[in-house]
Amino acid sequence: MARYMENPLAYPAAKARHSFHPSKMLAVAGMLAVFATEHPANAQDRNQSNELYHIFDLKTAAPKRDVIAAAGAGLKRNTSDAQTMTPIVMGAPPETPGRFTIRNPLEGSASMGGIAAMIPASQLAQFKQASCDGAVWIANALRKVRGSQNLRLTLCLFPYQQGYQLNVYGIDVKEQGGGISARLGRALAEQVVGKPDGWTEKTILDVVRELQTKTGATVSYVEGQPEIAGTPWEMPAAGGGVEEAK
């Protein structure tokens, strides 16, 4: 016991609590030094809002229930914070698929116009909502990483005679700037849950992969912003599991 009193870290329980690898300690120390020297403690907070959308064509004769089930399963791979609905769509599928529309409840309203005029454009975009009239499946997913990202995605499945089209619309708000603690928190969060852009693309592509696998659909990319190059949904998904960073 005497040697434990002289050196507390020699005690087994203390060893367990302090079992940090030297390389990790050096990495954290280096990160702290960089933030301390390059960024003042009272740096100004700022947000960057980006809109995104993607449209995928899915040519398939699979039953509607199978297509909806596949879309839901693909979404669950990356988020547990999602609400889905399956609206009633009667009649034969149209010749051409529908498409989402965007509206902002603060714009075009006499009562809200004054309020909208006082909100910066980057924040005003966060009030935009996607409407999916005619879709057989609608999902709203939210990802919040404290001090790093606030992402809201809307996904819509529109039927047509040759299959379906998957529409995706999102508002991605990234927190930037801030003091040392805020910047260090974002850096550590990226080490744990990955960079925001990577999660966004993976969430969308995993839905497309599941639709292709479960329904045998022929998938093609119609358009989007930022544009997706190539056919990344043909590649196996990297990583897995539900992401629940808050």
Side-chain angles (χ1 to χ4, degrees), residues 15 17 35 57 157 189 194 213:
K15 284 184 177 180
R17 291 195 299 271
F35 278 102
D57 186 68
L157 267 178
T213 301

Side-chain angles (χ1 to χ4, degrees), residues 173-241:
V173 182
K174 299 174 184 176
E175 295 187 23
Q176 301 175 332
I180 294 175
S181 60
R183 292 171 183 265
L184 181 58
R186 283 195 294 273
L188 293 175
E190 288 183 2
Q191 295 297 318
V192 177
V193 301
K195 293 186 176 182
D197 292 340
W199 184 90
T200 303
E201 183 171 302
K202 182 180 186 302
T203 298
I204 297 169
L205 293 179
D206 277 353
V207 175
V208 177
R209 290 187 184 103
E210 195 75 11
L211 284 164
Q212 183 181 50
T213 301
K214 295 295 178 62
T215 70
T218 300
V219 180
S220 59
Y221 185 63
V222 179
E223 62 179 86
Q225 177 184 317
E227 184 176 357
I228 295 176
T231 57
W233 56 87
E234 301 283 356
M235 304 294 292

